[in-house]
Amino acid sequence: MKIAIASDHAGYDMKEQIKNYLLEKKFDIIDLGTNSNASVDYPDYAKKLGEKVTKGEVDFGIGICGTGIGMSISVNKVKGVRGALCLYPSMAEYARKHNNANVLVLAGRLMGSDLAIWTVDKFLTTDFEGGRHKRRVDKIDEIK
């Protein structure tokens, strides 16, 4: 599975921890930056992340900023992205099962690394249920 990961400065440390964890698990990772704790603008990284996902260059994306809110708002501006801000594994589970989320957004300042990794694991191991949820996701995709 190929995963793109991106963060701003507030999510940098968490990005590095998650990236290293996923590399150990033999995932193919594309790191879109940032590459330090120096201040940057999260919309720049959210755009890169969303485009990788919607072009089919990766299976899923993971975006991280301080609260997850800015990254979530920004990545969802990319047509075809269904980004979900998830603070717990159960949120990630339902984001995949019911919403077919293709980008997981995490909060670097609000989550510990263990919780973030559990959330990533749940997101990446949960399948979309389809059925009545597909109809709803199709309606989301029709919104302009």
Side-chain angles (χ1 to χ4, degrees):
M1 187 180 297
K2 187 180 263 191
I3 310 294
I5 190 166
S7 74
D8 70 356
H9 55 283
Y12 171 73
D13 291 335
M14 182 176 284
K15 176 182 70 80
E16 292 299 301
Q17 291 171 341
I18 292 169
K19 178 179 75 175
N20 291 332
Y21 170 78
L22 292 173
L23 287 170
E24 287 175 15
K25 297 278 230 175
K26 306 297 183 205
F27 284 88
D28 188 4
I29 304 300
I30 298 176
D31 184 344
L32 300 172
T34 194
N35 299 311
S36 76
N37 291 310
S39 183
V40 295
D41 298 330
Y42 55 81
D44 298 333
Y45 296 90
K47 182 174 187 264
K48 289 181 198 179
L49 180 64
E51 289 173 348
K52 285 284 184 195
V53 171
T54 59
K55 289 178 181 175
E57 296 175 20
V58 296
D59 298 297
F60 295 107
I62 300 172
I64 310 161
C65 69
T67 64
I69 296 169
M71 183 69 74
S72 181
I73 291 169
S74 300
V75 78
N76 277 302
K77 298 290 277 184
V78 179
K79 184 161 179 50
V81 167
R82 288 179 304 281
L85 171 57
C86 298
L87 303 178
Y88 304 102
S90 58
M91 293 175 75
E93 177 181 10
Y94 284 103
R96 288 287 307 127
K97 283 169 83 168
H98 291 185
N99 306 114
N100 201 17
N102 52 16
V103 175
L104 171 64
V105 181
L106 301 169
R109 291 182 176 151
L110 304 179
M111 303 172 75
S113 60
D114 286 344
L115 179 58
I117 287 170
W118 296 334
T119 304
V120 167
D121 277 340
K122 185 55 80 172
F123 185 86
L124 296 177
T125 59
T126 302
D127 293 325
F128 179 51
E129 286 184 348
R132 71 183 188 276
H133 305 294
K134 182 178 181 333
R135 180 181 73 246
R136 295 168 184 159
V137 169
D138 289 345
K139 287 182 177 187
I140 292 169
D141 290 342
E142 290 172 8
I143 297 172
K144 298 201 190 272

